[in-house]
Amino acid sequence: MASGLTPFVYEGAVEELLGPIAAEHGLREVMLVTDAGVKTAGHTDRARTSLEQAGILVREYDQVQPNPTDHDVQQCAAVSKGVDGFVAVGGGSCIDTAKGASFIVTNGGAMPDYRGFGHAVEPLLPIIAVPTTAGTGSEAQSYTLISDDETHTKMACGAMGAMPIVAILDAGLTLTMPRRLTAYTGLDAIVHAVESAVCTKRTETSWALSTEAFSLLAFNLPVVLATPTDLQARRNMLRGAMLAGQAIEASMLGAAHASANPLTAKFDVPHGVAVATMLPHVIRYNAEDPATAALYQALSEPLGGGPLDQHIERLLALSEIESVKDFGVHMGAVDSLAAAAAEQWTGQFNPRPVDREGFVELYRSVLNP
């Protein structure tokens, strides 16, 4: 389990536990960070009511955008001065925005100042994460991913204080997710599990987390897509996404994420579409290495064995997500995409070395299968 994180897996926990838990941790005035969709679904009001009933003053920032930039974080931080903690209710973008604002409120400056790990001198404010999607696993990580305002390159900014002190996994909150968002986020979590399982920084601990996460996610994503009201499957998805986040915290990612980020930055391909589309091609690329091929085979055993890329492609077909071509990605962009992918930090942890030419090969295989 990731150090410093206390998870609560409990339907109705937002109403019953959020306020008392926040008060128990000494919070008296918090910034509730959310987005318009989560607010419309009523989840923000549930959180606010619980907090206020516990005697906690609540401010609210509901302008979180997908793939938040430094500008978005600065806006949140500007209205957060004087709070003693953050409660993030929403997907990874909400949690990452709250983390980013905590950096700025406590240490000043801008997010590029904190790229990497350990650049915050002053302690960050405590964060309680209430994920409403089963995807990023940000509730279990000490990093926040914030996009550069100009280039839209994702910056990983880390500090031990960025690890939420509590994660509330309330499956009831995920019932309002549209099918497409369920697919995007579920596939994202699956990629986290697969990449953290084979990256060069994997450990026995991260492997155990990755494999458990993968089994939970791969078995339950088809269930929630077919039967959206299945709370047990929703609960398993939330737990799997958190375990995959913990696996990343204990290890790293790889070429699927390195190649996906430029697709998002240059063509606005949703992150879940980008990483999931790249993953089968990355698996085939990495499987040229016998040791990595054996790890993939071990991952696929709970699904009946056989090539892991075929299992992933089956999940992609069930998910009915768009092709990257639907977002205008074309062969003429391959060189610039590959150059950008080669600069991504996650690529250096890929189990098979991958350079610019390797990324050219991957993008071409996606665009011209």
Side-chain angles (χ1 to χ4, degrees):
M1 184 173 293
S3 175
L5 173 70
T6 302
F8 291 84
V9 186
Y10 181 85
E11 274 80 55
V14 170
E15 288 92 339
E16 295 183 34
L17 297 182
L18 176 58
I21 286 171
E24 194 175 291
H25 281 82
L27 301 184
R28 295 292 176 263
E29 183 173 358
V30 301
M31 178 57 72
L32 180 57
V33 181
T34 190
D35 64 35
V38 174
K39 187 170 183 177
T40 299
H43 304 325
T44 307
D45 288 340
R46 293 184 181 94
R48 173 185 283 276
T49 297
S50 182
L51 291 163
E52 290 179 341
Q53 286 178 345
I56 297 171
L57 295 174
V58 180
R59 299 192 216 167
E60 186 176 308
Y61 179 82
D62 61 4
Q63 302 300 308
V64 172
Q65 302 297 315
N67 300 308
T69 68
D70 180 46
H71 175 73
D72 297 319
V73 169
Q74 293 287 350
Q75 284 189 314
C76 181
V79 295
S80 299
K81 298 186 188 312
V83 303
D84 55 15
F86 290 85
V87 175
V89 181
S93 294
C94 293
I95 299 170
D96 281 349
T97 298
K99 290 180 181 181
S102 186
F103 273 96
I104 304 305
V105 168
T106 56
N107 285 266
M111 291 313 299
D113 301 331
Y114 305 104
R115 191 168 189 167
F117 190 86
H119 298 300
V121 176
E122 299 298 328
L124 273 61
L125 296 176
I127 299 162
I128 295 176
V130 184
T132 60
T133 66
T136 69
S138 184
E139 68 274 9
Q141 297 173 48
S142 59
Y143 279 86
T144 180
L145 290 181
I146 303 299
S147 296
D148 181 274
D149 285 312
E150 303 265 337
T151 66
H152 297 285
T153 300
K154 288 184 180 290
M155 302 177 289
C157 306
M160 286 312 301
M163 172 72 73
I165 56 172
V166 169
I168 292 178
L169 308 184
D170 185 337
L173 303 186
T174 67
L175 293 173
T176 59
M177 279 199 297
R179 188 183 192 279
R180 180 178 293 179
L181 183 58
T182 297
Y184 287 177
T185 56
L187 290 168
D188 186 21
I190 285 171
V191 181
H192 293 162
V194 172
E195 290 221 288
S196 60
V198 301
C199 73
T200 58
K201 288 195 71 176
R202 68 184 182 277
T203 64
E204 288 186 11
T205 297
S206 70
W207 171 260
L209 292 164
S210 299
T211 53
E212 185 176 357
F214 180 72
S215 292
L216 283 168
L217 295 163
F219 277 115
N220 286 282
L221 180 59
V223 178
V224 297
L225 291 174
T227 312
T229 56
D230 190 319
L231 266 176
Q232 181 59 50
R234 292 279 186 186
R235 189 182 305 121
N236 289 337
M237 289 296 295
L238 275 173
R239 186 163 177 268
M242 185 191 72
L243 289 171
Q246 290 177 316
I248 298 170
E249 181 74 8
S251 57
M252 190 38 80
L253 295 166
H257 275 77
S259 54
N261 288 343
L263 291 171
T264 299
K266 296 176 181 293
F267 290 95
D268 290 324
V269 180
H271 180 71
V273 174
V275 290
T277 299
M278 296 306 305
L279 184 60
H281 303 271
V282 169
I283 290 173
R284 288 190 281 272
Y285 176 89
N286 288 340
E288 294 294 320
D289 169 58
T292 306
L295 293 174
Y296 286 141
Q297 180 62 35
L299 267 182
S300 75
E301 288 303 324
L303 301 180
L308 183 63
D309 62 305
Q310 292 181 15
H311 290 295
I312 300 301
E313 288 178 334
R314 177 180 63 83
L315 291 170
L316 282 166
L318 286 172
S319 299
E320 299 177 334
I321 63 169
E322 305 94 325
S323 160
V324 294
K325 293 180 182 178
D326 294 329
F327 297 90
V329 184
H330 53 88
M331 289 294 286
V334 164
D335 285 343
S336 65
L337 287 168
E343 298 297 319
Q344 296 288 314
W345 79 97
T346 56
Q348 64 186 298
F349 305 104
N350 198 60
R352 181 184 172 196
V354 55
D355 57 12
R356 184 178 174 280
E357 288 308 310
F359 284 115
V360 167
E361 177 185 334
L362 288 169
Y363 286 124
R364 284 179 176 168
S365 69
V366 169
L367 295 171
N368 188 27

